[in-house]
């Protein structure tokens, strides 16, 4: 009977090629298969789909009970096996790389509709990492969809010709060339979409090929495509289509012209699925989900970070998330170099009026960055492993005239350096530079071989001779071309280089451009990606302010990805997920900056921790906060129901203190203005609202967390603890009145007021205990921090705090609401007064240059 059932199951799978699962079941019934056998076949298919749904990676947030019809590749497939063969030839190992790609692409395909359904309009989003193989993922999704019967594939590939051409070449290589008889193309390497005479030749019943169309997000091109598809409507009723939007946050969301045109394309296709791919989903997830738009209402998939991928937090570090201890979060690698603010006017005109006639100056910092690039390229030649290309990016402006002005001074520096290789003084300078950099980032920490200066010197003449200076922008004919042998290039550019386009072997970036939104900032970082064979060598020169922005961005990004992973287990849907994400306090500035003006921002604090990590270091500011903390403890001491004196552990807890006492403290304590999540007005409004509407947060526990071994700090007579140590992040050009300690609270601090043994509790267990013991009680923790606070020797990227007075840190822990959380709103705007903002140039969206 088992063999017979196996045969029936093969028949059922064959039927699934032509019909959605309910239809396939009906066909079995018509074929006379008994009810018991049909039930067993259903259960077997369900177990296959559960395997897909319960894949450990990637995580997904899915709308409702989307039917999973796709259970993975089948023996007769053609397109997916061809990709696997190509990847193996490129050196991809089956485990974990190909296996992970198989799982993640299968998960995405399983969330699409069955191609034979009568009508569907799916909208999903796949969140990856910058330069992490998103193109390979969506190519795999296209291959598996083609193997199951999807017919038309439209890929929206950025807004510039360079990325469209690169994407077309990849898709032709991986999809078309292995199975040329299976594909027709509406676009070519050097040809964006132009209307074809006879739609029937592509979509008629006699044509069984898949149709590939790779287009720019360019309004005239998309209008032509919409017009052509509308003329072909008679043939499109039975044409399941998959629209892939590469870099989905760019132009799709931000512009008035592209978004409606994508919706128009979908309107021409009765069976269509739109899947956006992005590494910076902030804009996509801030679309109003209730609008008729491209919000990913059906699914959001969170791709895992591939092994060996350089991401934001690897380079810049990030702040701890709720439940993390500082030891769990790295400060990042010592690869960021500071560009002094005084250098910026030398490499970027201050205003648009200054563009004409602008002549850049090769500052000492820029020269050092370029000389290091040549040294790193020589070292890579000595190693002889990994990517054969080596690229440096100089990105100071979006203005093409500014890019072009760099050509003459850069060529002059290249010739001068080449002619100085026999000069002892110049070689000593290079040796010092190389040895300093090698010491700061040891090669062996990355499993790479240290290259002594003597070994790379013989390679320098060849490196300098082969190095090209390329102005890669929309007005230039110059383009980075990696298809004809190894490239050594210094690329000066803006928008054409900033999104999607892969800069092969990127080793050094010099980056001063200011941008107004986190998602733009994330995409600007072309240095993210894989660095096989030279993981120790990348360096980024940027202003301290930009480095700080990236660190904050890394935290928001990590929290958003963690939220996707968390919410998928909490019966959330993409629609409710948006609400949770948009009310996160740390995202307010992202929204405000993207709007370029004031916006109403909503925040909710339920279940969250708020902690200070930015401080001024001047005595007056710090003394005001000390006074506020001492007044709080005096009030808490007199108003508390009970006081736990655990001074031998460096701790006190004052229980059941009135919320009015807490509000009084919040009105007196000064949070640093750079901390958007620490907004005393919003927190105060939130507490008042919870007290009034939910009878929550009326009582608070006030804790002091110090150290039993530190120098004593007195909050009140008889209430003293030892001061803790919190070193600041090292800044190459630190301001005299700013310190970032990065992390204040440890995980166990959120359990300071809990009864019982809490030492080994996980973050989840602490939350559960807080909910059980203090369902409506808030926790406020004070931290006395020593003003000197020397770092431990192991913390290479830390410096002494060096404040003028001792510092008071504050942590707040809010209870998880039992029902709907309260929202508080505030009219906020991003303070951009001291930042020279350059907007993304969207002129290419309307350009007639196809």
């Amino acid at each position: 009977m088992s063999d017979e059932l196996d045969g029936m199951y093969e028949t059922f799978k064959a039927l699934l090629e032509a019909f959605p699962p309910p239809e396939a079941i009906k066909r079995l019934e018509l074929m006379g298969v008994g009810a018991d056998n049909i039930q067993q076949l259903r259960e077997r298919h369900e177990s296959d789909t559960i395997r897909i749904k319960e894949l450990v990676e990637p995580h997904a947030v899915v709308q409702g009970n989307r039917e999973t019809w796709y259970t993975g590749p089948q023996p007769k497939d053609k397109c997916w096996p061809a990709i696997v063969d190509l990847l193996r030839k490129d050196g991809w190992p089956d485990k974990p790389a190909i296996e992970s790609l198989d799982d993640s692409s299968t998960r995405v395909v399983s969330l699409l509709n069955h191609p034979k359904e009568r009508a569907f309009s799916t909208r999903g989003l796949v969140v990856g990492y910058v330069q992490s193989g998103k193109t390979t993922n969506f190519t795999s999704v296209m291959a598996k969809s083609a193997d199951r019967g999807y017919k038309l594939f439209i890929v929206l590939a950025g807004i510039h010709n360079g990325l469209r051409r690169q994407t077309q070449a990849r898709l032709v290589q991986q999809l078309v060339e292995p199975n040329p008889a299976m594909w027709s193309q509406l676009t070519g390497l050097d040809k964006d979409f132009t209307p074809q005479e006879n739609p029937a030749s592509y979509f008629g019943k006699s044509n069984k090929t898949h149709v590939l169309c790779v287009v720019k997000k360019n309004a005239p091109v998309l209008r032509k495509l919409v017009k052509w598809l509308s003329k072909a409507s008679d043939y499109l009723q039975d044409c399941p289509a998959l629209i892939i939007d590469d870099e989905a946050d760019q132009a799709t969301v931000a512009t008035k012209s592209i978004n409606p045109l994508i919706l128009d394309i979908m309107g021409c296709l009765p069976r269509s699925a739109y899947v956006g791919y992005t590494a910076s989903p902030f804009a996509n997830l801030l679309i109003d989900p209730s609008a008729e738009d491209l919000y990913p209402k059906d699914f959001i998939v969170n791709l895992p970070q591939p092994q060996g991928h350089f991401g934001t937090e690897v380079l810049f570090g990030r702040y701890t998330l709720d439940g993390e201890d500082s030891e769990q979060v790295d400060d990042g690698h010592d690869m960021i170099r500071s560009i002094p603010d005084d250098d910026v006017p030398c490499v970027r005109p201050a205003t648009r009026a200054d563009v004409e006639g602008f002549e850049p100056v090769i500052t000492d910092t820029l020269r050092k960055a370029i000389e290091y690039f040549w040294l790193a390229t020589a070292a890579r030649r000595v190693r002889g492993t990994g990517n054969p290309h080596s690229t440096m990016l100089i990105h100071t402006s979006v203005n093409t005239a500014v890019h072009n002005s760099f050509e003459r001074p850069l060529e002059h520096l290249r010739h001068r350096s080449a002619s100085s290789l026999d000069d002892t003084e110049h070689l000593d300078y290079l040796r010092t530079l190389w040895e300093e950099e090698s010491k700061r980032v040891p090669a062996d920490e990355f499993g790479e071989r240290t290259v002594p200066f003597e070994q790379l010197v013989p390679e320098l003449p060849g490196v300098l001779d082969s190095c090209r200076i390329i102005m890669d922008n929309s007005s230039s004919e110059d383009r980075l071309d990696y298809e004809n042998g190894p490239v050594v290039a210094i690329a000066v550019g803006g928008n054409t280089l900033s999104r999607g386009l892969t800069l092969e072997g990127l080793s050094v970036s010099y980056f001063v451009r200011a941008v107004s939104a986190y998602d733009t900032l994330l995409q600007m970082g072309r240095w993210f990606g894989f660095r096989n064979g030279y993981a120790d060598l990348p360096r980024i020169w940027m202003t301290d302010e930009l480095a700080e922005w990236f660190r904050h961005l890394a935290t928001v990004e990590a929290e958003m990805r963690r939220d996707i992973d968390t919410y998928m287990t909490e019966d959330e849907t993409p629609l409710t997920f948006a609400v949770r994400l948009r009310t996160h306090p740390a995202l307010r500035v992202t929204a405000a900056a993207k709007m370029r003006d004031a916006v109403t921002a909503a925040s909710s604090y339920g279940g969250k921790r708020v902690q200070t990590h930015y401080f001024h270091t001047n005595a007056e500011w710090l003394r005001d906060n000390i006074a506020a903390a001492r007044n709080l403890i005096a009030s808490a001491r007199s108003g508390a129901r009970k006081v736990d004196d655990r001074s031998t552990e460096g701790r006190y807890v004052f229980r059941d203190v009135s919320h009015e006492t807490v509000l009084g403290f919040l009105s007196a304590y000064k949070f640093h203005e750079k901390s958007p999540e620490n907004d005393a007005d919003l927190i105060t409004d939130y507490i008042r609202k919870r007290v009034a509407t939910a009878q929550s947060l009326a009582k608070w526990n006030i804790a002091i967390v110090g150290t039993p071994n530190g120098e004593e700090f007195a909050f009140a007579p008889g209430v003293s603890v030892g001061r803790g140590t919190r070193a600041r992040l090292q800044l190459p050009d630190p301001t005299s009145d700013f310190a970032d300690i990065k992390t204040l609270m440890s995980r166990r601090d959120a359990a300071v007021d809990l009864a019982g043994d809490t030492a080994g509790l996980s973050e989840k267990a602490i939350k559960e205990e807080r909910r059980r013991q203090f369902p409506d009680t808030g926790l406020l923790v004070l931290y006395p921090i020593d003003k000197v606070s020397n770092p431990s020797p192991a913390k290479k990227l830390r410096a002494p705090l060096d404040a003028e007075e001792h510092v008071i840190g504050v942590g707040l822990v809010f209870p998880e609401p039992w029902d709907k959380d309260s929202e508080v709103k505030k009219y906020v705007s991003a303070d951009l007064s001291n930042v020279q903002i350059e907007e993304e140039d969207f002129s290419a969206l309307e350009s007639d240059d196809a």
Side-chain angles (χ1 to χ4, degrees):
M1 183 62 190
S2 153
D3 290 344
E4 186 181 343
L5 199 66
D6 286 346
M8 287 182 194
Y9 192 58
E10 290 305 314
T11 303
F12 179 54
K13 287 202 292 187
L15 286 169
L16 283 174
E17 295 290 311
F19 306 103
E23 290 285 325
I25 294 290
K26 284 180 185 172
R27 299 282 161 163
L28 287 176
E29 291 169 347
L30 291 171
M31 291 162 63
V33 178
D36 287 348
N37 286 337
I38 284 179
Q39 184 58 31
Q40 288 184 63
L41 294 174
R42 267 184 165 156
E43 288 170 0
R44 188 159 164 185
H45 182 252
E46 183 63 25
S47 72
D48 282 351
T49 63
I50 285 172
R51 181 186 66 79
I52 305 299
K53 289 178 182 176
E54 294 183 351
L55 283 169
V56 176
E57 298 279 11
H59 292 154
V61 185
V62 181
Q63 173 69 22
N65 290 315
R66 285 188 69 76
E67 191 168 51
T68 301
W69 55 275
Y70 183 75
T71 55
Q74 300 298 321
K76 67 179 189 58
D77 291 350
K78 295 277 199 305
C79 296
W80 165 247
I83 287 180
V84 172
D85 288 344
L86 286 169
L87 295 177
R88 283 179 180 145
K89 284 176 188 168
D90 284 347
W92 280 49
D94 281 6
K95 288 188 177 183
I98 292 177
E99 192 175 273
S100 172
L101 176 64
D102 188 10
D103 284 349
S104 58
S105 53
T106 285
R107 185 70 177 118
V108 176
V109 176
S110 77
L111 294 168
L112 303 178
N113 290 67
H114 192 291
K116 298 297 183 183
E117 285 183 33
R118 285 191 178 83
F120 54 87
S121 181
T122 314
R123 284 156 209 199
L125 182 69
V126 178
V127 182
Y129 290 78
V130 175
Q131 300 281 292
S132 69
K134 293 188 301 299
T135 306
T136 305
N137 187 278
F138 72 64
T139 305
S140 303
V141 168
M142 291 168 69
K144 291 179 176 183
S145 303
D147 284 333
R148 283 297 165 281
Y150 272 77
K151 169 85 173 172
L152 171 61
F153 296 87
I154 298 171
V155 180
L156 306 168
I159 66 174
H160 295 287
N161 282 319
L163 179 56
R164 195 210 70 80
R165 188 180 191 281
Q166 188 182 72
T167 306
Q168 176 92 33
R170 284 276 296 276
L171 292 172
V172 167
Q173 181 210 2
Q174 295 190 330
L175 289 176
V176 179
E177 288 175 355
N179 294 290
M182 293 175 62
W183 290 89
S184 304
Q185 296 182 67
L186 291 172
T187 52
L189 269 185
D190 299 307
K191 179 173 71 79
D192 208 329
F193 176 76
T194 49
Q196 307 298 306
E197 287 300 317
N198 184 12
S201 65
Y202 291 94
F203 303 117
K205 291 209 184 303
S206 60
N207 187 331
K208 302 297 183 189
T209 63
H210 306 290
V211 181
L212 177 64
C213 181
V214 184
V215 293
K216 291 194 304 295
K217 288 186 204 174
N218 168 278
V221 171
L222 294 181
R223 285 188 198 108
K224 284 188 280 188
L225 180 57
V226 170
K227 190 175 179 182
W228 187 72
L229 287 172
S230 61
K231 284 183 180 174
S233 59
D234 291 347
Y235 305 101
L236 297 176
Q237 296 302 315
D238 298 322
C239 177
L242 175 60
I243 300 166
I244 299 286
D245 189 351
D246 191 12
E247 308 294 347
D249 64 292
Q250 185 193 30
T252 301
V253 176
T255 62
K256 291 187 174 72
S257 58
I258 301 304
N259 196 319
L261 286 168
I262 296 172
L263 290 167
D264 288 346
I265 290 170
M266 295 182 74
C268 296
L269 300 163
R271 303 180 191 176
S272 66
Y274 167 90
V275 182
Y277 273 75
T278 182
S280 47
F282 304 104
N284 303 75
L285 295 175
L286 292 171
I287 298 173
D288 180 358
S290 62
E292 176 54 34
D293 213 314
L294 292 171
Y295 184 83
K297 64 181 176 58
D298 294 303
F299 64 85
I300 302 165
V301 174
N302 194 17
L303 295 178
Q305 186 166 14
Q307 259 184 335
H309 178 266
F310 266 53
T312 330
E313 68 183 78
V314 174
L315 289 166
F316 296 94
R318 63 168 170 81
Y319 303 108
T320 54
L321 307 182
D322 284 1
E324 290 181 328
D325 286 328
S326 56
E327 292 74 27
Q328 294 175 262
V329 182
D330 206 317
D331 286 342
H333 295 303
D334 189 10
M335 294 179 171
I336 314 302
R337 303 292 173 262
S338 181
I339 298 175
D341 289 340
D342 292 347
D343 279 17
V344 175
C346 300
V347 294
R348 184 181 71 200
T351 67
R352 283 187 183 177
D354 299 324
V355 168
E356 192 173 342
F358 176 74
E359 285 283 338
V361 175
I362 305 294
T363 63
D364 289 345
T365 314
L366 179 54
R367 180 193 165 202
K368 184 179 282 191
I370 295 166
E371 298 276 18
Y372 173 77
F373 167 66
W374 288 326
L375 290 167
T377 304
R380 289 175 60 192
R381 289 189 174 184
V382 172
R383 284 179 182 166
T385 57
N387 194 314
H389 307 295
S390 187
T391 310
M392 175 177 178
L393 170 63
I394 296 177
H395 193 17
T396 68
S397 169
V398 292
N399 193 286
T400 55
V402 175
H403 305 156
N404 298 337
S405 70
F406 272 89
E407 185 169 16
R408 194 173 56 81
L410 289 176
E411 282 289 5
H412 176 71
L413 177 63
R414 185 175 73 88
H415 287 299
R416 196 179 75 191
S417 295
S419 63
S420 302
L421 289 176
D422 294 328
D423 181 72
T424 306
E425 189 177 337
H426 183 62
L427 283 175
D428 286 345
Y429 164 77
L430 293 179
R431 176 191 292 276
T432 302
L433 173 59
W434 179 249
E435 290 178 351
E436 280 177 356
E437 288 296 338
S438 299
K439 186 177 178 184
R440 288 179 71 172
V441 187
D444 55 14
E445 287 185 7
F446 295 85
E448 302 290 356
R449 176 165 68 90
T450 302
V451 179
F453 182 71
E454 288 74 17
Q455 288 184 19
L456 62 79
V457 170
E459 298 289 344
L460 283 172
V463 168
L464 285 156
D465 186 55
S466 59
C467 181
R468 296 171 58 215
I469 312 294
I470 294 179
M471 310 296 118
D472 194 317
N473 57 46
S474 50
S475 72
S476 137
E477 294 299 313
D478 253 353
R479 285 292 177 271
L480 280 162
D481 177 11
Y482 297 108
E483 294 169 21
N484 300 303
V487 168
V488 178
I490 297 174
V492 184
N495 285 343
T496 58
L497 294 177
S498 67
R499 277 186 176 265
L501 203 64
T502 299
L503 297 178
E504 297 282 355
L506 181 63
S507 304
V508 176
S509 298
Y510 181 91
F511 188 77
V512 298
R513 180 184 161 192
V515 290
S516 63
Y518 280 137
D519 45 7
T520 307
L521 196 64
L522 181 57
Q523 285 293 349
M524 289 295 161
R526 308 316 305 160
W527 48 81
F528 305 132
F530 298 96
R531 301 290 175 258
N532 299 331
Y534 63 107
D536 58 317
L537 298 179
R539 299 291 186 274
I540 305 165
W541 271 261
M542 59 168 47
T543 59
D544 292 344
E545 181 179 49
L546 271 174
E548 189 185 306
W549 283 14
F550 269 107
R551 194 174 303 114
H552 188 70
L553 166 67
T555 311
V556 174
E557 183 190 6
E559 184 136 32
M560 180 204 64
R561 291 178 195 279
R562 188 173 83 164
D563 283 352
I564 294 177
D565 289 350
T566 301
Y567 296 161
M568 69 161 289
T569 64
E570 295 183 2
D571 205 28
E572 292 278 342
T573 73
L575 298 176
T576 54
F577 174 70
V579 175
R580 308 258 311 243
L581 185 74
R582 288 183 305 156
T583 57
H584 191 286
L587 278 181
R588 294 187 299 107
V589 166
T590 305
K594 198 163 181 70
M595 298 288 288
R596 277 302 302 279
D597 55 16
V599 296
T600 302
S603 296
S604 299
Y605 292 92
K608 292 191 173 71
R609 291 185 202 176
V610 174
Q611 57 180 308
T612 50
H613 54 82
Y614 288 158
F615 300 96
H616 286 289
T617 54
N618 72 78
E620 183 183 355
W621 192 84
L622 294 170
R623 283 179 192 138
D624 286 347
N625 281 351
I626 289 171
R630 284 177 170 155
N631 288 336
L632 171 64
I633 295 305
S635 299
R637 198 179 187 186
S638 61
R641 178 181 58 80
K642 181 186 175 191
V643 179
D644 296 350
D645 179 349
R646 289 151 54 190
S647 50
T648 54
E649 303 171 30
R651 297 179 170 221
Y652 281 86
V653 179
F654 303 84
R655 298 186 179 275
D656 286 347
V657 175
S658 165
H659 70 280
E660 293 293 351
T661 302
V662 172
L663 295 179
F665 169 73
L666 290 173
S667 68
Y669 182 89
K670 294 175 182 173
F671 292 100
H672 196 284
E673 60 276 8
K674 279 189 175 180
S675 306
E677 63 273 29
N678 298 343
D679 186 313
D681 293 339
L682 275 179
I683 294 170
T684 297
D685 288 351
Y686 178 80
I687 294 170
R688 288 195 190 283
K689 197 166 186 178
R690 293 302 288 165
V691 171
T693 62
Q695 286 76 54
S696 181
L697 293 179
K699 294 293 183 183
W700 285 71
N701 294 336
I702 311 294
I704 299 171
V705 171
T707 172
N709 307 318
E711 294 288 326
E712 199 169 85
F713 183 92
F715 282 92
V719 182
S720 299
V721 296
R723 299 190 294 270
T725 299
R726 296 288 192 281
R728 71 160 96 191
L729 280 175
Q730 193 172 47
L731 290 175
D733 183 22
T735 57
S736 57
D737 188 28
F738 174 71
D740 179 359
I741 64 167
K742 204 173 152 207
T743 304
L744 178 71
M745 298 184 83
S746 71
R747 182 171 60 218
R748 67 185 286 256
D749 294 347
V752 65
D753 56 340
L754 294 178
D757 182 9
T758 60
L761 291 185
S762 66
E763 168 67 6
K764 186 177 180 185
I766 289 173
K767 281 194 170 183
E768 287 171 356
E769 275 302 303
R770 291 209 69 80
R771 197 161 203 190
R772 190 176 68 80
Q773 296 184 32
F774 299 115
D776 294 305
T777 303
L779 171 65
L780 187 153
V781 188
L782 296 176
Y783 296 82
I785 300 169
D786 189 81
K787 63 184 180 182
V788 177
S789 287
N790 286 311
S792 70
K795 296 282 188 182
K796 292 194 291 187
L797 300 182
R798 296 292 179 126
L801 183 57
D802 278 347
E804 292 178 2
E805 187 51 86
H806 300 308
V807 176
I808 299 294
V810 175
L812 296 142
V813 181
F814 292 91
E816 192 85 46
W818 289 99
D819 48 13
K820 188 174 184 296
D821 201 4
S822 302
E823 273 187 19
V824 284
K825 295 184 178 180
K826 183 179 180 181
Y827 206 54
V828 297
S829 60
D831 179 10
L832 305 177
S833 56
N834 296 317
V835 180
Q836 290 183 322
I837 295 297
E838 290 192 306
E839 290 299 348
E840 283 201 83
D841 178 10
F842 286 124
S843 58
L845 300 179
E846 297 291 341
S847 163
D848 284 318
D849 171 30

